[in-house]
Amino acid sequence: MSGIWVWIEQHEGKAANVSWEAVGLARTLANNLGEPVTALVFGSNAPALAEEAIRRGADSAVACEDTTLVDYRLEPYAALLSKLVGEAKPSILLVGSTTRGIDVMGALAVDLEAGTIADVVGIEVDGGTIKATTPAYSGKLMATVVHADPGDAPRIFAIRSRAFPLPDGDAGRTGEVKMVEPVLAEDDIVTKAVSFEGTGGEISLTDAGIIVSGGRGVGGPEGYEPLRELCGVLDAALGASRASVDAGWIPYEHQVGQTGKVVAPDLYIACGISGAVQHQAGMRTSKVIVAINKDPEAPIFKLAHYGIVGDLFQVVPALTQAFKKKLG
Amino acid sequence: MRIVICTKETPDTAAKVDVAPDGSVTWGDAPLVINPWDEYAVEEALLLGDRGATATTVVGVGGEDTKEALKHALAMGVEEAILISDPTLVDADTLVTSRVIAQAVRKLDNVGLVMLGKITTDGGSGQTPAQVGWRLGWTILTYVSKIVDIDFSAGTITVERLLEEGKQVIQGKLPAVVSVVKDINEPRYPSFMGIRKASRAEIPVWGAGDLELDGISPKVKWVEIESLPPREGECQILEGETVEEAAGMLADKLIEEKVV
């Protein structure tokens, strides 16, 4: 029972950044625990992604490329992962805390009677115990969680996007890539992927280094336009408060907060957002927070590092111009 | 076919959650309410009544407080509620909870669909839906933003799922476990009559013995819980003669912080 395994998730042949962050974390743990790192990649582009996983820190990789695995579906992915992990019995398994990672980890936990810790933002090795920190009560508290008597089962952790550094690739690193066969045939899989509608090149909130977010103060759907322009200059993702989503001004996938997405970018620019406790729960761990609001008493200013008291329809375009000038 | 909705009780989202000196989690005077995500599951189950579902049952796992969440679902229009409560379940993790729910579903007859919110707002990890489905060996459809098509007699379901990169349309067979996101509907307010009926409802309680659950123990434990440290330092308000000047100062600060 040894080894640190990382499941690399991919969409249309491109790995999620959080998976590389998991490889980076695995490398750090491996150096500490003296165990090898193995990456597992299934589906489109698996062999190439396996090589990339090795360049980013894995010692070896296991890959499976098959028509049943092109589009992610839980059953074939979990069945294969469950078989591989069950046979090799690694001591630790890392996945991304994403829609796919959470489901795959949940299924695996059932098969292997393994404990799981989701949404991990910190890991500390303390003798034989591995302590994970994870936000609780939707980010209002922080809990330290450990595995109880893992026995033969791996300790499974799902790590939050952007909580651990993204490792660069090292072209000099090489290792063995083992190709394996899938477990389920198409006839054994009850779900069929019908279609996929991408978000059209928009940067996803959970991956974004910068988020420009608008609340009730934007006043309507067209009020997001100046924010979109700022997003364009900064390569930022567009966020929104619950109030503006509930008003129908912007689709739900943009919502930040307790009933939306929990984010932690390097820079969070809150425009016309008062900063209700539910919103704060979704963004308070951002590295630098900027508030732009007409109301100097808005609670968001208590959380922000920098603020401008003023009309967002004047401030945001001025900020866009300033960045255009200064960033060339 | 019966639809089972799973729910639990969580502090109101507006609550200021904190840790008391004895290490317990507190939420002041804020009420415990039905987990907000589960309201969408309840609403969707009720809407499916028009599409051929014949019965609805809401199941909650927890203590006496959980009855309030169950009554909220009853007041919205769910027909019956069951509370699963047992001293051995106090420290339940998702592995334990999913086993309890799966056993309860097996005990109920003619279940075609289990519906849950995508996550709970307390210690939630969002794994329970997949784990319940995996235990039952049913189709698992999580993060559903729309039920595109469901045919209880043909036993088919097509849904739209909200993933990080966009929307996936996926087809499966019933029975299925479905977890829902907020986008799926607008939960109704309980009617006055509904609230009256719910307040009088006798909610049966099932214990571990009723579900033949022996010797299950959680595989993870919380060793510490703490409040987030308050943010240090004050907000630096940038003021200029003009908006352009203030915006320029802010841009300089952010470039200096190396965050752009």
Side-chain angles (χ1 to χ4, degrees):
Chain A
M1 223 191 69
S2 159
I4 301 169
W5 281 28
V6 186
W7 176 57
I8 309 295
E9 65 176 273
Q10 55 82 19
H11 175 68
E12 294 175 348
K14 190 176 176 300
N17 271 347
V18 67
S19 295
W20 299 140
E21 289 155 13
V23 170
L25 172 63
R27 187 72 260 154
T28 309
L29 289 171
N31 295 345
N32 192 328
L33 299 167
E35 297 182 23
V37 176
T38 306
L40 296 105
V41 199
F42 311 149
S44 306
N45 206 21
L49 292 176
E51 299 285 355
E52 185 171 357
I54 291 168
R55 289 195 296 276
R56 294 211 189 233
D59 295 302
S60 64
V62 177
C64 184
E65 204 175 25
D66 189 80
T67 52
T68 57
L69 301 170
V70 172
D71 290 312
Y72 162 83
R73 287 176 294 174
L74 176 60
E75 310 98 294
Y77 272 67
L80 178 56
L81 194 58
S82 187
K83 174 175 174 266
L84 295 169
V85 173
E87 284 170 1
K89 300 195 190 312
S91 60
I92 293 173
L93 173 69
L94 302 179
V95 304
S97 206
T98 59
T99 56
R100 298 177 182 87
I102 291 289
D103 283 0
V104 164
M105 168 168 97
L108 217 61
V110 167
D111 282 349
L112 306 171
E113 281 283 309
T116 58
I117 305 176
D119 213 14
V120 171
V121 296
I123 280 193
E124 187 198 336
V125 179
D126 183 3
T129 314
I130 301 173
K131 291 180 174 173
T133 43
T134 168
Y137 290 85
S138 307
K140 292 176 183 172
L141 303 179
M142 197 60 82
T144 305
V145 189
V146 299
H147 289 82
D149 316 318
D152 228 10
R155 294 177 168 93
I156 309 183
F157 302 92
I159 68 159
R160 181 184 278 193
S161 184
R162 301 182 49 79
F164 298 92
L166 180 69
D168 292 328
D170 171 356
R173 287 186 59 89
T174 54
E176 186 203 353
V177 177
K178 188 178 151 197
M179 297 301 294
V180 295
E181 293 296 315
V183 173
L184 297 183
E186 188 57 46
D187 290 347
D188 302 328
I189 305 168
V190 293
T191 53
K192 307 289 167 212
V194 178
S195 64
F196 197 93
E197 186 195 325
T199 43
E202 275 184 25
I203 300 164
S204 102
L205 283 174
T206 39
D207 279 343
I210 304 175
I211 294 173
V212 178
S213 206
R216 209 188 290 271
V218 304
E222 61 291 336
Y224 279 94
E225 270 322 301
L227 276 60
R228 283 200 175 90
E229 281 168 33
L230 181 55
C231 284
V233 174
L234 295 177
D235 278 332
L238 182 64
S241 73
R242 177 179 178 165
S244 55
V245 171
D246 285 355
W249 299 345
I250 186 163
Y252 169 63
E253 49 262 40
H254 293 275
Q255 186 179 323
V256 171
Q258 195 163 2
T259 50
K261 291 199 173 77
V262 176
V263 299
D266 294 333
L267 173 60
Y268 189 90
I269 305 180
C271 312
I273 292 178
S274 64
V277 59
Q278 295 97 321
H279 190 78
Q280 292 196 11
M283 45 63 78
R284 61 173 295 162
T285 54
S286 305
K287 199 169 145 202
V288 174
I289 297 168
V290 171
I292 297 168
N293 205 298
K294 266 199 276 201
D295 175 10
E297 301 299 320
I300 191 77
F301 285 114
K302 294 227 163 42
L303 195 65
H305 302 84
Y306 299 101
I308 292 181
V309 179
D311 180 357
L312 74 92
F313 292 105
Q314 292 174 7
V315 178
V316 173
L319 194 57
T320 305
Q321 288 311 318
F323 278 125
K324 265 189 191 163
K325 231 183 275 166
K326 292 173 200 284
L327 298 174
Chain B
M1 266 184 168
R2 180 186 301 276
I3 303 180
V4 172
I5 309 111
C6 303
T7 189
K8 74 181 292 191
E9 193 87 344
T10 54
D12 187 77
T13 56
K16 196 170 170 343
V17 180
D18 220 331
V19 180
D22 70 355
S24 62
V25 177
T26 61
W27 42 84
D29 300 332
L32 283 167
V33 297
I34 183 170
N35 173 45
W37 300 97
D38 298 341
E39 278 191 82
Y40 300 94
V42 171
E43 178 65 33
E44 200 60 23
L46 294 173
L47 293 174
L48 290 175
D50 302 334
R51 293 162 86 171
T54 52
T56 45
T57 303
V58 59
V59 172
V61 185
E64 210 40 38
D65 285 341
T66 307
K67 281 191 175 167
E68 291 309 311
L70 296 173
K71 284 185 175 174
H72 186 94
L74 291 176
M76 285 174 73
V78 175
E79 288 152 15
E80 59 165 2
I82 296 163
L83 173 64
I84 301 170
S85 198
D86 196 280
T88 59
L89 301 177
V90 171
D91 293 320
D93 62 359
T94 59
L95 268 183
V96 174
T97 305
S98 62
R99 192 155 152 207
V100 170
I101 294 171
Q103 282 295 85
V105 169
R106 289 191 184 105
K107 204 173 143 91
L108 292 162
D109 60 333
N110 198 28
V111 179
L113 206 56
V114 173
M115 303 195 73
L116 312 87
K118 75 156 195 176
I119 197 167
T120 61
T121 60
D122 47 11
S125 67
Q127 294 173 88
T128 307
Q131 290 187 343
V132 170
W134 203 252
R135 287 188 187 281
L136 292 167
W138 292 5
T139 302
I140 298 167
L141 302 166
T142 50
Y143 309 98
V144 169
S145 51
K146 187 179 181 182
I147 295 183
V148 179
D149 189 48
I150 186 161
D151 186 333
F152 286 98
S153 47
T156 55
I157 179 168
T158 305
V159 301
E160 184 181 273
R161 304 178 60 225
L162 202 56
L163 306 185
E164 283 80 1
E165 303 85 0
K167 287 175 180 166
Q168 180 192 42
V169 176
I170 187 162
Q171 202 176 59
K173 293 197 171 80
L174 297 176
V177 174
V178 167
S179 81
V180 304
V181 299
K182 192 185 138 175
D183 220 13
I184 194 165
N185 58 41
E186 183 92 28
R188 68 195 67 186
Y189 287 101
S191 67
F192 177 68
M193 288 298 288
I195 294 169
R196 248 179 51 176
K197 206 174 135 208
S199 69
R200 291 190 194 136
E202 284 291 324
I203 297 177
V205 181
W206 291 356
D210 297 304
L211 297 171
E212 293 159 37
L213 296 163
D214 327 318
I216 52 168
S217 56
K219 288 287 186 182
V220 292
K221 60 180 180 202
W222 289 28
V223 290
E224 206 180 338
I225 179 127
E226 47 193 2
S227 321
L228 295 177
R231 210 186 67 64
E232 281 168 30
E234 295 246 309
C235 176
Q236 193 176 336
I237 300 286
L238 300 162
E239 289 167 304
E241 291 294 316
T242 61
V243 173
E244 284 69 26
E245 192 186 334
M249 287 159 69
L250 176 58
D252 286 336
K253 289 283 181 194
L254 296 176
I255 291 165
E256 222 173 275
E257 293 261 13
K258 296 192 169 56
V259 289
V260 292

